[in-house]
Structure formats: structure tokens, C-alpha cells
């Protein structure tokens, strides 16, 4: 065929295709109020979706998890966008590597999954400060999640960066985002500031146009203050809730249109010191089937939970401060290690009664690896590395300053003062108004004295000579992600009291522990420090090769108390073996170097190490270990009232 004939063929083909394939200008996702359903490109559509948080999964594993979700019969994936994950400092943005939201959107497209996006600005999610950046609290009087001008200015600045990037990904623009949530369960917050919600709705419309479906999500008790005219109202509830009653309540806000449960709980979150949470397969599948029979669109929260790596876990306030565990397994259909569970197959079976599920098997569980026991060597007490941990030197203040006041968002800060007179008889050391946020490891002249803990442990008894160094290492256990209208400042919120003396003249050392571990691996500093007796905050480390091709594994720290772990410089998260219920930390195989290379593991043990400082890697997780029930002490340090046993979850 002559070249010019050849040339015209593709254009003919193209012309034909453009007639067949939906084009950006004919792509649509709308609410059909006449028939109580969604329409996708004009055809009736119901989404069966699952939540997966890209910020809890290493990027290299995104495709695997999304593929498994598609093979489970889902046609959509729902996820939040944590503001604090992408704007670490005001005006500084990070969309790289495992924070590349747009790479995740592309992976969802490749997995043939539509997207339900929830950019907040507040997201809850058991995530640090519910996704809000801690630097907002550098204005201590800011009123979060309200029309406070300082808060709105920061929100506007963030969304003016994020939402224009989202715009091309909207379904009618050729992307895969079919709907976008405004705020998150605002009705549960209590501020009920409708000018704030109207501001957000206006901002989303201005930056995303008028075609995209905007919606809200609230629990049954939150619909009044969480819903807003012009935003489609959806609800969330779990298997044990009364679906008929709750959907009837929803109909008061959305008399017509599809019923939507935006968070159908397939499991639940875990707190340190509380029993491991599960939801039974029959309960989850029964509720799902009942909703699908009604024609409702459902998003299962979580379908894959993942992990709170680093310092990213949040906390709840239910009578007291309850930090979320490092594992966000959530007893979800896909386990933290990415393995299909019986719950997944049961859900897939239910979905198959209502719509096509992809043929073919789910991938088998990933290979798992056991290693060890491995002995760790002592690198030195944390105080031995102070120059490297705080190279810029301490900040001096008469009264202690918060993490936020010294621009330290996460992790640890050392507070130091000197005794102005000798304390020869044990004197009570405490911080008024429950002012330890959240755990304090106390040392006198480098000797570990014990721990103070928010809500839990309010006093210690100390002695010391005049001029002795009193060091208080403060651990930020993660800011409240739910349950409080007040800002969760971290650090020593009040000057501590020793005996009858209010301690003043403090040095604050914001600690860059991750930098030390990453760049000046502690055991390279041994020459410059002589490990003292291993008590209190202390670094341990070792190196190890993996055997053959290796696999996912679960770090087990028998006999260790509480601390932080890094593998090859990656902050794996917190461990709290003594308190439980989580006893192992998930170690994804991609974090480990292949056979022949040496891997490095570093622990910062905050309290006490086992007689034999060993660790193991198991081939299975332990998430429901014995819980060392945490007792709640009276708030006033003086009274020694009998602690109350905390009820289970
Ligand atoms: C103990 C209640 C914690 C509040 N959170 C609730 S109800 N949830 C709703 C919230 O929207 C979601 O982000 C998650 O936080 C989920 C619990 O996993």
C-alpha cells in the first residue's frame, strides 16, 4: 500500500476510535436522583470500593496491593491525602518517592480502579494530628478546623498547590477520580463552624470546577454539623450497627440519590496497652451483602491498612491519651504484609453475587523469612551522642519550651537543667497539670531514674547533688488524630517541680535522631564515646546478611521494653514490647539488601534492655500479644489513689 495511503489509515482508525471510546468531554460521573443511583458515562453505576493509604505502604508495593484489591472484585479505591505528609514545612512541598501521590493515582489507573479522593484538610485516619501539619501550632492560639483566619490562610495556601495538580486527574478530564470528600466527619468535631465548611466547599469548587462530585462523610451522630447544602451527604458505620436505622437517618439529608457508606469498617484500630481489635468475617460479609442488596455504594475501611512507619501514628483521647500502634493491620482483608486473608475471599464471594469479579487467582501470600536470634551490641547511651544529635546546640529558656515552639515536629527532645541545691532525701519530681506530653525518661548525671507518662505515671522520687545534671528525654508519641478540640502540644508543658522547688533555667536540645542513624550510624562514633551502663535511652545495633532470596519478615524484640527501630536508615516505627498488644514490627522485603550485602539495624531502647540484647525475625506477625494493662493514675500527683484497671477495647 502506498505510504500516503498508509498515512491515512491511522487517522481513520483514530477517527473511528474517538467515536467508540468515551472522550474527556463525554466522560461523566453524576448522581441520578430520579433513580437513586450513580451514572458513569450515562450508565447506572455502583462502586464497591476499599481504602488503602499510600502513605502507609512503601511505593514499591503499591501496584501489588492495588492489583489484589482489583482481583478482590473492587472497582474503586478510596484514600486520604495527608497535608502534613506533603508540606513538612510551610511552603515546602514533597511529592517524591513514597509521597508521590500522582504515581499512586497512575498505579490505581493501571489496576483499573476508579478513585474516591479525600484530601481533608483534616483526615483523622489515626494519622499524626489527623493529617494537619504540626507547624500550624507554632501559632499556639490557632483554632484548628474553624474559620480562624490563620488556619484558613494555611489551608488555602496548601489547596492552591494540591488541587490544581488534582484537576487533570478528575474523571471528566480523562483521569480516574470520580468524587472528592470535603473535610472529614466534621460533625464529630464539635466546632460546627459552617462558614469554615462553606469556605472549603467554595475553594474546592473554585479550583476543581463544577463537574466533580463533592461529598461529606459523617457518623450518624455527626450529620447535622457535618453535612452542607451542595455537598453530597454520605455516612459511615460498621458491621454491628443498625443499617436500616442509619440509612433512614441518611435519607433525612439525602432523600434521593444513591445510599453511600463511605467507611464500612472491616476491622478496627489498635492502641498501645489495649486489646487487639478484630471484626468477624461473618459479621463483615453479612453487613456488606445487606448494603449491596439495597443498591448502596460502599467503601470498605480498611481494605489494606499497612503500617504507621516512623513517627506517623496518631492518637485518640477516650478518657485518656491513647497512642495508635505502629501496625495498621486493622484486621483488614489484605494483611499488613499484603497477604489475602479469609476475610478477603469471603468479601470477594459476596461481591460476585452483584457484579463481575475478575477471573483468575489472587496472588499467594508473599514469601516470609526467619532470621536470628541476632545479638546487638551497645553503641552508647543517647547522651553520649548529644553533639551529633543536636549539632546546632541547645536553646536556653527560663521555662521549658514545647516541641512546636522550637520547630521540632516529631520524635524526641532533651530537656536539661542543673540542681541548684543538693537533694539528699528522695524528693518528688512531677509536672503539674498532666504536663508531660507524652513520655519522659528521667536521668540524673546520666543515670536513668525512671519514666513519667501522660495520664499514666505522674511522679518519681529523685536525689541529687547541687550542680547535678537533670536530663529529661521527652518522647512525642504522636499527636491526637481524634477526640479533642484542643491542640495537642508536645513536650514539657509546665515547669517540673522537684520537692518544693519549681525547676527553671532549661536547655532544650531538639534531637535529630534519624539523621544520626542515617548518616553517622552510632557504631561509627564509638571511638568518641565510652558506652556507660546500659540503662535509659541507649543505642544498640548490628549488621546482618539475609539468606538466599529472603522475604517479608517480622521483627521480634523479646525482653526489650520500648523504643524506635531503623533498618538501613529507614525508620520502621515504634516498638513497645512490654505494653503490647503488638509484639512484632512488619519488615517489608524491599527494605532489606539482597544476599551478599550487610543490612544494618539500629534500636533506640528508651528504658531497659534484656539481659541478652538479642532480636529475632519471625515469619509471622504477633499483633495480639499479652497486653500489660495500663493503669490510670489520679491526675493529682499527691494522691496515691488506687489506679483503675482500664477496660479493654
Ligand atoms: C475511636 C474513634 C476513632 C475515630 N475514628 C473513626 S470513627 N473513624 C472515622 C474516620 O473518618 C477515619 O479516618 C478513621 O479514623 C475511623 C476509625 O478507623
Amino acid at each position: 500500500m502506498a505510504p500516503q495511503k498508509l498515512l491515512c489509515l491511522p487517522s481513520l482508525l483514530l477517527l473511528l476510535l474517538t467515536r467508540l471510546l468515551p472522550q474527556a468531554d463525554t466522560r461523566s460521573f453524576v448522581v441520578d436522583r430520579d433513580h437513586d443511583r450513580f451514572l458513569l458515562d450515562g450508565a447506572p453505576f455502583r462502586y464497591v470500593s476499599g481504602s488503602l493509604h499510600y502513605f502507609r505502604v512503601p511505593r514499591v508495593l503499591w501496584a501489588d496491593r492495588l492489583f489484589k484489591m482489583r482481583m478482590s472484585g473492587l472497582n474503586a479505591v478510596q484514600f486520604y491525602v495527608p497535608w502534613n505528609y506533603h508540606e513538612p514545612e510551610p511552603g515546602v512541598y514533597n511529592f517524591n518517592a513514597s509521597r508521590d501521590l500522582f504515581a499512586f493515582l497512575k498505579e490505581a489507573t493501571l489496576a483499573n480502579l476508579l478513585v474516591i479522593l479525600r484530601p481533608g484538610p483534616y483526615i483523622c485516619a489515626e494519622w499524626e494530628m489527623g493529617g494537619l501539619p504540626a507547624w500550624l501550632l507554632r501559632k499556639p492560639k490557632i483554632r484548628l478546623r474553624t474559620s480562624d483566619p490563620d488556619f484558613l490562610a494555611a489551608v488555602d495556601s496548601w489547596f492552591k498547590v494540591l488541587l490544581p495538580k488534582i484537576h487533570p486527574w478528575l474523571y471528566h478530564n480523562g483521569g480516574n477520580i470520580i468524587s472528592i470528600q470535603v473535610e472529614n466527619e466534621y460533625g464529630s468535631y464539635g466546632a460546627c463552624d459552617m462558614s469554615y465548611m462553606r469556605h472549603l466547599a467554595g475553594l474546592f469548587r473554585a479550583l476543581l470546577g463544577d463537574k466533580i462530585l463533592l461529598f461529606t462523610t459523617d457518623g450518624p451522630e455527626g450529620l447535622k454539623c457535618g453535612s452542607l447544602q451542595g455537598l453530597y451527604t454520605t455516612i459511615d458505620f460498621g458491621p454491628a450497627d443498625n443499617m436500616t436505622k442509619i440509612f433512614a437517618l441518611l435519607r433525612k439529608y439525602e432523600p434521593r440519590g444513591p445510599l453511600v457508606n463511605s467507611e464500612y469498617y472491616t476491622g478496627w484500630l489498635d492502641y498501645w496497652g489495649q486489646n487487639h481489635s478484630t471484626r468477624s468475617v461473618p459479621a463483615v460479609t453479612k453487613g456488606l451483602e445487606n448494603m449491596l442488596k439495597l443498591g448502596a455504594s460502599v467503601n470498605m475501611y480498611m481494605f489494606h491498612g499497612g503500617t504507621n512507619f516512623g513517627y506517623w501514628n496518631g492518637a485518640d483521647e477516650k478518657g485518656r491519651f491513647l497512642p495508635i500502634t505502629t501496625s495498621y493491620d486493622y484486621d483488614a482483608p489484605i494483611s499488613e504484609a499484603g497477604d489475602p486473608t479469609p476475610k478477603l475471599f469471603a468479601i470477594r464471594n459476596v461481591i460476585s453475587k452483584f457484579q463481575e469479579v475478575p477471573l483468575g487467582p489472587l496472588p499467594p501470600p508473599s514469601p516470609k523469612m526467619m532470621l536470628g536470634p541476632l545479638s546487638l551490641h551497645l553503641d552508647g547511651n543517647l547522651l553520649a551522642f548529644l553533639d551529633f544529635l543536636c549539632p546546632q546546640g541547645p536553646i536556653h529558656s527560663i521555662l521549658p519550651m514545647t516541641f512546636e515552639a522550637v520547630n521540632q515536629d516529631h520524635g524526641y527532645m532533651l530537656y536539661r537543667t542543673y540542681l541548684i541545691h543538693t537533694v539528699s532525701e528522695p524528693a518528688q519530681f512531677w509536672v503539674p497539670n498532666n504536663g508531660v506530653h507524652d513520655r519522659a525518661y528521667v536521668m540524673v548525671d546520666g543515670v536513668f531514674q525512671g519514666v513519667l507518662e501522660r495520664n499514666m505515671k505522674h511522679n518519681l522520687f529523685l536525689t541529687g547533688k547541687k550542680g547535678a545534671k537533670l536530663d529529661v528525654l521527652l518522647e512525642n508519641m504522636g499527636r491526637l488524630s481524634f477526640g479533642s478540640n484542643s491542640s495537642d502540644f508536645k513536650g514539657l508543658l509546665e515547669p517540673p517541680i522537684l520537692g518544693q522547688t519549681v525547676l527553671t533555667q532549661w536547655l532544650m536540645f531538639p534531637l535529630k535522631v534519624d539523621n544520626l542513624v542515617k548518616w553517622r550510624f552510632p557504631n561509627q562514633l564509638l571511638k568518641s564515646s565510652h558506652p556507660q551502663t546500659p540503662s535509659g535511652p541507649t543505642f544498640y545495633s548490628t549488621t546482618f546478611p539475609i539468606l538466599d532470596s529472603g522475604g517479608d519478615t517480622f521483627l521480634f524484640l523479646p525482653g526489650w521494653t520500648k523504643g524506635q527501630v531503623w533498618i538501613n536508615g529507614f525508620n520502621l516505627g515504634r516498638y513497645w514490647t512490654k505494653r503490647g498488644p503488638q509484639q512484632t514490627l512488619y519488615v517489608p522485603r524491599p527494605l532489606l539488601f539482597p544476599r551478599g550485602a550487610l543490612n544494618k539495624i539500629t534500636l533506640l531502647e528508651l528504658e531497659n534492655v534484656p539481659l541478652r540484647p538479642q532480636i529475632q525475625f519471625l515469619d509471622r506477625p504477633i499483633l495480639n500479644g499479652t497486653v500489660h494493662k495500663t493503669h490510670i493514675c489520679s491526675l493529682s500527683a499527691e494522691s496515691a489513689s488506687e489506679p483503675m484497671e482500664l477496660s479493654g477495647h
Side-chain angles (χ1 to χ4, degrees), residues 44 50 102 105 149 194 290 365 374 397 400 443 455 483 531 553 579 622:
F102 307 99
L105 281 165
M194 299 325 286
N290 290 341
L374 304 174
S397 169
M443 290 149 284
N455 296 119
T553 188
R579 188 158 288 184
I622 304 173

Side-chain angles (χ1 to χ4, degrees), residues 56-247:
R56 287 182 157 126
V57 180
R59 173 168 177 167
V60 69
L61 299 173
W62 288 347
D64 171 78
R65 304 315 192 240
L66 290 164
F67 174 69
K68 288 167 182 168
M69 290 176 73
R70 182 72 192 102
M71 291 303 289
S72 302
L74 305 184
N75 53 21
V77 56
Q78 181 211 71
F79 54 92
Y80 289 116
V81 179
W83 180 5
N84 55 8
Y85 200 56
H86 296 290
E87 190 175 1
E89 284 294 325
V92 177
Y93 302 101
N94 184 344
F95 293 100
N96 305 315
S98 282
R99 304 191 194 203
D100 189 341
L101 159 64
F102 307 99
F104 186 73
L105 281 165
K106 183 163 176 48
E107 291 292 358
T109 307
L110 294 175
N112 194 18
L113 289 168
L114 295 168
V115 168
I116 298 156
L117 194 75
R118 308 208 286 176
Y122 163 83
I123 65 168
C124 194
E126 288 71 63
W127 189 253
E128 149 76 13
M129 204 161 142
L132 299 178
W135 47 259
L136 290 168
L137 303 183
R138 293 173 195 170
K139 294 186 174 173
K141 299 215 179 312
I142 197 167
R143 288 178 297 111
L144 303 174
R145 301 178 72 192
T146 71
S147 48
D148 173 335
D150 285 334
F151 182 66
L152 288 188
V155 166
D156 289 357
S157 168
W158 161 236
F159 277 141
K160 285 173 182 168
V161 169
L162 175 70
L163 297 186
K165 293 175 185 288
I166 294 292
H167 188 265
W169 289 90
L170 302 181
Y171 185 77
H172 58 271
N173 290 335
N176 53 353
I177 299 173
I178 55 171
S179 59
I180 293 186
Q181 181 179 293
V182 177
E183 246 279 354
N184 191 80
E185 293 197 318
Y186 191 61
S188 300
Y189 184 53
C192 205
D193 181 342
M194 299 325 286
S195 56
Y196 163 60
M197 282 294 282
R198 280 191 292 274
H199 178 92
L200 289 181
L203 185 64
F204 279 45
R205 277 289 165 234
L207 295 169
L208 296 171
D210 55 9
K211 286 187 181 170
I212 183 70
L213 176 64
L214 300 179
F215 69 98
T216 58
T217 298
D218 281 279
E221 75 297 326
L223 288 170
K224 183 171 176 298
C225 277
S227 60
L228 185 72
Q229 191 67 33
L231 304 181
Y232 196 70
T233 307
T234 79
I235 202 156
D236 57 37
F237 58 88
D241 296 311
N242 182 327
M243 177 193 75
T244 308
K245 198 167 140 233
I246 292 173
F247 274 150

Side-chain angles (χ1 to χ4, degrees), residues 80 118 123-126 184-185 236 263 265 268-269 271 301 316 318 328 330 482:
Y80 289 116
R118 308 208 286 176
I123 65 168
C124 194
E126 288 71 63
N184 191 80
E185 293 197 318
D236 57 37
E263 292 184 24
Y265 303 112
W268 198 245
L269 50 105
Y271 303 111
Y301 189 102
D316 286 339
K318 289 169 72 180
Y328 202 64
Y330 215 86
F482 183 84

Side-chain angles (χ1 to χ4, degrees), residues 277-541:
S277 303
T278 58
R279 294 295 181 271
S280 78
V281 172
V284 169
T285 51
K286 180 168 177 288
L288 175 64
E289 182 153 3
N290 290 341
M291 285 188 282
L292 297 184
K293 278 179 186 162
L294 282 180
S297 281
V298 181
N299 175 76
M300 288 169 268
Y301 189 102
M302 299 298 293
F303 208 84
H304 174 52
T307 308
N308 295 310
F309 294 115
Y311 308 109
W312 288 115
N313 66 281
D316 286 339
E317 197 157 52
K318 289 169 72 180
R320 70 175 182 82
F321 179 75
L322 289 168
I324 303 294
T325 57
T326 301
S327 170
Y328 202 64
D329 180 86
Y330 215 86
D331 190 29
I334 298 176
S335 73
E336 182 178 12
D339 295 339
T341 66
K343 191 177 279 180
L344 180 150
F345 293 103
I347 287 171
R348 186 187 197 209
N349 182 44
V350 168
I351 295 173
S352 68
K353 299 176 187 173
F354 298 89
Q355 55 198 46
E356 286 277 300
V357 298
L359 294 176
L362 262 287
S366 64
K368 302 298 185 292
M369 168 175 75
M370 290 180 76
L371 267 180
L374 304 174
S375 293
L376 270 62
H377 53 253
L378 168 65
D379 290 323
N381 286 8
L382 175 133
L383 298 176
F385 302 105
L386 208 44
D387 294 345
F388 295 101
L389 288 165
C390 185
Q392 79 280 12
I395 297 150
H396 169 255
S397 169
I398 295 175
L399 297 178
M401 298 166 72
T402 62
F403 276 55
E404 295 78 15
V406 302
N407 297 356
Q408 167 95 352
D409 286 350
H410 308 297
Y412 304 87
M413 177 141 80
L414 184 80
Y415 291 77
R416 171 170 287 175
T417 190
Y418 294 85
L419 299 188
I420 52 172
H421 53 69
T422 295
V423 180
S424 46
E425 290 303 313
Q428 187 166 259
F429 176 73
W430 62 294
V431 181
N433 300 322
N434 191 25
V436 172
H437 282 205
D438 303 303
R439 286 195 114 228
Y441 307 89
V442 182
M443 290 149 284
V444 175
D445 278 344
V447 178
F448 184 54
Q449 306 293 316
V451 180
L452 297 180
E453 181 177 345
R454 181 175 179 176
N455 296 119
M456 289 293 113
K457 178 108 175 9
H458 290 283
N459 55 26
L460 282 173
F461 285 83
L462 304 178
T463 60
K465 292 191 172 50
K466 179 177 178 182
K469 235 181 334 202
L470 174 56
D471 284 327
V472 184
L473 177 71
L474 244 292
E475 179 185 12
N476 165 358
M477 280 293 299
R479 287 181 184 79
L480 288 172
S481 40
F482 183 84
S484 163
N485 286 18
S486 54
S487 300
D488 190 11
F489 297 97
K490 296 297 183 182
L492 285 178
L493 305 192
E494 304 257 349
I497 296 175
L498 179 59
Q500 303 304 315
T501 307
V502 176
L503 299 179
T504 57
Q505 301 299 344
W506 288 91
L507 296 173
M508 267 70 58
F509 296 80
L511 301 183
K512 306 301 176 206
V513 184
D514 292 75
N515 290 351
L516 171 75
V517 171
K518 258 186 197 151
W519 310 117
R520 303 187 63 95
F521 196 61
N523 66 4
Q524 294 154 8
L525 307 173
L526 218 46
K527 294 172 274 317
S528 64
S529 73
H530 304 288
Q532 296 110 2
T533 47
S535 81
T538 307
F539 286 107
Y540 284 79
S541 63

